[in-house]
Amino acid sequence: MTQSGFGPDLAEVFGPAHQDGGPELVQLLTPEGERVEHPDFSFGDGLTDADLAETVRGFFRDMTLTRRIDVEATALQRHGELGIWAQLLGQEAAQVGAGRALKPQDYVFPTYREHGVAWCKGVDPLKLLGLFRGVDQGGWDPSENNFGLYTIVIGAQTLHATGYAMGMQRDGVVGTGDPERDAAVIAHFGDGASSQGDVNESFIFAASYNAPVVFFCQNNQWAISEPIERQSRIPLYQRALGFGFPGIRVDGNDVLASYAVTQAALQRAREGQGPTFVEAYTYRMGAHTTTDDPTRYRLSDDVERWKLKDPIARVEVYLKRNAMADQEFFDAVAAEADELGHRLREGCKALPDPQPLSMFDHVYAEMTDELVVQRDGFAAYLESFEGAH
């Protein structure tokens, strides 16, 4: 207790015992690549050894290619080909684990950093680059992959997700008992967004209406330059209890645990048991975006400590230690990553610039009179420049 007697001491909440997530952290694969048991969550039950190996190899491939997307996009921004880029370095396991737990009928509401989830849902990463290059406002069709457009307004997507989940209830695709029909929604956001009013309002609505939504918070320890201890006096997952639904903290650098926990939460939602808060405890190894300089507000020792928890390295060790993959597999993934990197570099530079008037085309399904006036006025303005013809 604090000296005043109100609430826990911050040293107790954020002290050494909690720097690695605390004893409540769900973990199935240690940073050293060793499998561990958990009383409530498991991975691989019912799978043959061959299927288990194939699944884990798939996770490794997804994370490796997701990281390559991130590395290439960061380099493209540094070369002036992108206006900005939101890095996910270090968060691959949380995103791939959550992404692979989805069924085709589930719907994703992302922020602007869910490149790994987009990959798992089949969104061409080149379309992600179009947004950050500024040639479109999101070039993918959300209905094609059940993956919404990136949301820049912090936390707004949680309200969209909750409303969409309530719509699923009314469409009769929740709790029917048909695994091919029952669906759920997952909303991704960061630790900083958890302090937004929109997020808390979405919690209230989701709990009140028992909406089939999973709130997936990637707690990467930093809301831009604000550390987690300035954002909450308790672990984030415990906030869910105040709204009346369960919260779980998972090792966000453990793809097996991230998958198992998200799969259970989504299934709970599909069955009509309501929302769940999943806090993926991870670390943002890179900058908030490419306009950020994290060396100004965090210690290099922290970064070095988290490098030892690299989500990809631990899966590689696990695969090798248990003879679940040979060198030919790792070489093939590396070659595929190189090919993807080449495609992204060349494809990004070849993205066509949009016509100025095209921004009026998709504001409404049908052009309004007011929008016609605005479009014609902007067209006249463009025509006024010398050499416009």
Side-chain angles (χ1 to χ4, degrees):
M1 299 290 287
T2 61
Q3 291 181 350
S4 64
F6 295 101
D9 184 355
L10 282 182
E12 296 176 7
V13 175
F14 297 104
H18 290 271
Q19 289 179 356
D20 293 323
E24 66 270 39
L25 190 77
V26 177
Q27 185 180 82
L28 300 178
L29 186 66
T30 70
E32 295 74 31
E34 297 179 356
R35 286 292 302 270
V36 292
E37 298 296 324
H38 190 275
D40 300 318
F41 299 95
S42 62
F43 173 79
D45 290 351
L47 294 179
T48 65
D49 290 344
D51 288 341
L52 177 64
E54 182 180 1
T55 300
V56 179
R57 287 196 298 267
F59 287 156
F60 177 84
R61 172 181 174 271
D62 287 333
M63 290 192 294
T64 300
L65 297 180
T66 293
R67 179 167 293 185
R68 187 55 176 263
I69 293 168
D70 188 60
V71 169
E72 291 294 341
T74 300
L76 284 166
Q77 193 281 330
R78 298 307 189 206
H79 283 84
E81 300 295 341
L82 299 180
I84 194 173
W85 178 253
Q87 295 177 289
L88 61 71
L89 186 64
Q91 299 178 220
E92 296 89 354
Q95 295 198 11
V96 168
R100 287 305 176 197
L102 293 159
K103 290 187 176 182
Q105 65 266 31
D106 296 330
Y107 203 100
V108 180
F109 285 85
T111 62
Y112 44 78
R113 200 187 303 275
E114 271 64 58
H115 319 314
V117 185
W119 170 263
C120 291
K121 290 294 284 182
V123 177
D124 186 345
L126 194 57
K127 293 184 177 180
L128 303 180
L129 300 189
L131 174 64
F132 290 95
R133 189 173 172 85
V135 300
D136 58 50
Q137 295 177 326
W140 61 93
D141 180 355
S143 64
E144 182 178 343
N145 304 96
N146 278 6
F147 185 84
L149 296 176
Y150 275 2
T151 306
I152 307 301
V153 179
I154 305 300
Q157 72 279 3
T158 58
L159 286 173
H160 307 158
T162 300
Y164 196 94
M166 292 167 62
M168 283 182 168
Q169 289 174 315
R170 286 149 181 79
D171 287 342
V173 294
V174 179
T176 70
D178 183 353
E180 301 302 318
R181 178 177 174 82
D182 286 341
V185 173
I186 187 167
H188 289 269
F189 57 99
D191 47 292
S194 69
S195 299
Q196 290 286 341
D198 283 359
V199 175
N200 288 268
E201 290 170 11
S202 69
F203 288 177
I204 293 171
F205 269 85
S208 298
Y209 291 92
N210 209 43
V213 57
V214 174
F215 297 105
F216 193 92
C217 175
Q218 292 174 77
N219 178 4
N220 64 20
Q221 312 297 306
W222 293 94
I224 308 182
S225 60
E226 290 298 313
I228 185 62
E229 58 264 27
R230 290 186 185 174
Q231 302 174 56
S232 176
R233 293 183 67 92
I234 62 171
L236 295 181
Y237 79 97
Q238 293 183 5
R239 287 181 170 181
L241 296 177
F243 294 91
F245 56 90
I248 307 165
R249 173 179 279 188
V250 63
D251 183 350
N253 283 32
D254 175 359
V255 68
L256 305 189
S258 295
Y259 174 85
V261 168
T262 309
Q263 184 183 52
L266 285 166
Q267 185 58 29
R268 181 176 179 274
R270 296 185 199 108
E271 293 173 355
Q273 298 183 49
T276 303
F277 181 103
V278 176
E279 177 193 357
Y281 194 85
T282 181
Y283 194 81
R284 193 193 75 212
M285 296 299 296
H288 174 69
T289 69
T290 46
T291 62
D292 174 40
D293 179 9
T295 63
R296 299 180 62 184
Y297 54 80
R298 71 182 185 189
L299 300 175
S300 60
D301 288 349
D302 290 340
V303 179
E304 293 302 315
R305 182 167 62 87
W306 277 90
K307 282 183 180 179
L308 301 176
K309 308 176 192 297
D310 187 283
I312 300 178
R314 72 172 70 181
V315 175
E316 181 176 356
V317 170
Y318 174 63
L319 288 170
K320 290 180 175 178
R321 179 178 295 158
N322 293 277
M324 300 168 78
D326 54 21
Q327 190 57 46
E328 183 179 356
F329 164 77
F330 293 108
D331 290 344
V333 172
E336 187 178 4
D338 288 341
E339 182 179 346
L340 175 61
H342 176 75
R343 183 171 77 85
L344 292 179
R345 289 192 299 273
E346 298 305 312
C348 178
K349 297 173 185 177
L351 288 172
D353 291 334
Q355 294 298 316
L357 294 180
S358 66
M359 64 177 164
F360 294 92
D361 294 342
H362 304 293
V363 179
Y364 296 106
E366 296 180 4
M367 187 77 71
T368 65
D369 292 341
E370 181 182 10
L371 202 60
V372 169
V373 172
Q374 293 179 17
R375 182 196 60 189
D376 293 347
F378 186 53
Y381 170 73
L382 293 175
E383 287 289 328
S384 69
F385 286 92
E386 184 178 352
H389 300 286

